[in-house]
Amino acid sequence: MGVLEGRVACVTGGTRGIGRAIAEAFVREGANVVINGRSEEKGAQALAEMGAGAAATFIAGDVKQREACESLVDATVARYGRIDILVANAGGGTGHAPVADLTDEAMQDALVWNFWHTFWTMRRSLHHMIPQGSGRIMAVSSVEGKVGKPGISIYVVAKHAINGLVKSAAKEVGALGITVNALCPGAIETDVMKAEGPAAAAAMGLTYQGLLDLFASEAAIKRLNEVEDVANVAVLLASDAGGGITGSMISIDGGTSPY
Amino acid sequence: MGKLDGKVACITGGTRSIGRGMADAFLAEGASVVVNGRDEAKGQACLAEMAAGDRAAFYPGDSAKQATVEGLVDFTIERYGHLDICCLNSGGVVNTAPVAQMTDEEWALEIDWNLNHVFWGMRRALQHMIPRQSGRIIVTSSVEGKLGKPGLPGYSATKHAVNGLVKAAAQEVGTLGITVNAVLPGLVETDILRATGPDSAIAMGVGSYEALLDLFAQEAAIKRLNTVEEVAAVAVLLASDAARNMTGCLFPVDGGTMPY
């Protein structure tokens, strides 16, 4: 018996990387999971690799669109009858630059992609979870939600904003059987990292490898984190045993953040 | 297959409450556990209840004393051949007194019980774990390690201090296969709390023990206290291979009490 038997989860950005690892861990623990992504092809590939049969469903959508976020949550309920767990995981940033050179568009895009998507999916999930009297909401934030590297302020800002939303929302629904937490991973070399890392590195005056080395050097473990690190904490938070943890910003960063 | 099969743990204050919860959870995951406590009778009762045969042992002594804490680590290594998980869990409030009224003796005991105990145990355990390049140190800190309530200056100071020790030690051994973390529980109704709570309530001006519990519950978003099981579940995660990349973490189990 898994610790999430019969639970229903929705994971944005769930076809690869951290979201995929979380979705797979939830399935292993007996949950039904909706994974979201922009690409039907990647979605189909993810489902095939997961081999979870009816326990996993892919729903395409761009989390930068409010309607897509809301219909994703509603579709999860339609597919599996309820929603117990939301993981607002999708995110990233493009157009990195130091603040003096940053464009409005880059800042806005990062906020929509990371923060607004979290807000939209959280709000919709709460509409279902509050009458239900139970739920688990997790935002995949970042160590950058606690610290602040030069050159990537669009990402730092969005992740800090997510942390604030988590703290506030947690206090609102704490007595309603719903927990709201932020997972704050250190750097992980996911596909998103490989795609955006070079530009982020350039904005910081580094090579891509130099960026990875910098992240590793800032951790006590002197290496990057892995997607499973985040998935393991997500399972704990999602389970009954995690019902006493809320409003938290949990560092999964190999000893990088100072708090 | 348990998450802690073949692992060996020692736990100060392990016969009751949070430490006992950790011990039970570790045993359920296949570990062997040495629990420490001051009371021989409670220790034997604990072993009897655990019914874990060779996988559980009791080491008596007061964890405010260096010889006990170091002795616990040494005893565990001698009994089971090695030590994987060192839980520095015992501690408490000596007297709920404001700074201006706290005595030298009360302060010194708070320091020994809550802070020095952690240092002694951590140092002894690391001396064993570092050559093995493997280990887990888990410190039971508290929300009071980030907050500061009137009447708890020693408890708050020592819990802030152990947080700092955890962070520093984590940086030292990060590449040696050893993680050092703290769990920060909100209020859990333990034997210690039942014993000291009534006096604490008066000293903190809240009138009654029940009012004290209610005060803490209201400070949490979940409007209730935390449970031993909730803290133990985090300890199992931190003790396991799954958390090999988590270190220097001040892991909250506080129902949304702390602001960071």
Side-chain angles (χ1 to χ4, degrees), chain A residues 167 170-171 174-175 218-226 229 232-233 236 241 243-259, chain B residues 146 167 170-171 173-175 221-224 226 229-230 233-234 237 242-260:
Chain A
K167 289 199 276 188
K171 289 187 166 57
E218 289 181 344
I221 59 176
K222 304 301 177 213
R223 60 181 186 270
L224 303 187
N225 280 97
E226 298 165 28
D229 301 338
N232 292 324
V233 178
L236 173 63
I245 301 171
T246 196
S248 298
M249 305 172 292
I250 299 176
S251 290
I252 309 166
D253 66 1
T256 300
S257 167
Y259 70 93
Chain B
K146 290 191 178 181
K167 290 198 280 186
Q171 297 296 324
V173 298
T175 58
I222 58 176
K223 304 302 178 204
R224 62 167 173 82
N226 282 99
E229 290 72 24
E230 289 166 351
V234 174
L237 173 65
R244 67 187 174 282
N245 293 329
M246 287 185 74
T247 195
C249 178
L250 307 174
F251 202 117
V253 189
D254 71 335
T257 300
M258 296 181 290
Y260 68 97

Side-chain angles (χ1 to χ4, degrees), chain B:
Chain B
M1 266 277 287
K3 298 190 179 96
L4 302 176
D5 276 345
K7 302 291 184 183
V8 176
C10 68
I11 306 175
T12 57
T15 63
R16 305 278 294 170
S17 304
I18 291 173
R20 170 66 177 278
M22 290 182 180
D24 288 341
F26 289 178
L27 285 170
E29 294 291 346
S32 300
V33 183
V34 178
V35 294
N36 147 264
R38 286 173 290 193
D39 186 308
E40 182 74 37
K42 281 191 180 134
Q44 294 308 325
C46 173
L47 289 183
E49 287 163 11
M50 285 173 167
D54 286 345
R55 286 201 292 123
F58 171 66
Y59 183 82
D62 181 354
S63 58
K65 304 246 180 312
Q66 182 173 356
T68 293
V69 183
E70 294 182 342
L72 169 66
V73 173
D74 293 346
F75 170 83
T76 305
I77 294 165
E78 190 180 329
R79 173 87 172 75
Y80 290 107
H82 65 277
L83 172 65
D84 299 292
I85 306 157
C86 183
C87 294
L88 300 160
N89 162 80
S90 59
V93 178
V94 171
N95 184 26
T96 308
V99 173
Q101 271 85 59
M102 197 165 211
T103 67
D104 287 354
E105 292 73 25
E106 288 164 345
W107 182 259
L109 183 52
E110 293 253 17
I111 302 289
D112 277 345
W113 194 14
N114 296 314
L115 174 58
N116 287 336
H117 134 238
V118 173
F119 165 62
W120 294 321
M122 191 185 288
R123 179 176 60 184
R124 199 63 157 209
L126 286 175
Q127 286 165 350
H128 171 73
M129 292 172 176
I130 287 171
R132 286 170 52 84
Q133 305 240 329
S134 173
R136 298 283 185 271
I137 309 264
I138 301 171
V139 175
T140 303
S141 177
S142 167
V143 292
E144 305 304 337
K146 290 191 178 181
L147 305 175
K149 286 191 175 52
L152 301 178
Y155 195 69
S156 188
T158 52
K159 294 305 188 183
H160 277 69
V162 297
N163 288 357
L165 179 57
V166 160
K167 290 198 280 186
Q171 297 296 324
E172 293 173 3
V173 298
T175 58
L176 303 181
I178 303 165
T179 69
V180 187
N181 293 290
V183 293
L184 275 62
L187 197 64
V188 175
E189 199 180 13
T190 62
D191 284 355
I192 297 259
L193 183 65
R194 288 189 193 98
T196 62
D199 287 340
S200 292
I202 291 164
M204 291 168 71
V206 295
S208 70
Y209 176 62
E210 290 68 28
L212 179 73
L213 297 189
D214 197 57
L215 174 73
F216 280 100
Q218 290 312 310
E219 285 183 347
I222 58 176
K223 304 302 178 204
R224 62 167 173 82
L225 303 189
N226 282 99
T227 68
V228 164
E229 290 72 24
E230 289 166 351
V231 183
V234 174
V236 166
L237 173 65
L238 294 175
S240 69
D241 288 340
R244 67 187 174 282
N245 293 329
M246 287 185 74
T247 195
C249 178
L250 307 174
F251 202 117
V253 189
D254 71 335
T257 300
M258 296 181 290
Y260 68 97

Side-chain angles (χ1 to χ4, degrees), chain A residues 41-67:
Chain A
E41 195 186 318
K42 287 197 174 116
Q45 184 182 349
L47 288 181
E49 288 167 3
M50 288 169 76
T57 301
F58 171 75
I59 295 178
D62 182 356
V63 297
K64 292 184 188 180
Q65 308 291 329
R66 175 175 58 83
E67 295 79 5

Side-chain angles (χ1 to χ4, degrees), chain A residues 7-23:
Chain A
R7 304 288 161 83
V8 176
C10 174
V11 181
T12 67
T15 63
R16 301 178 295 159
I18 295 170
R20 169 74 174 275
I22 291 174

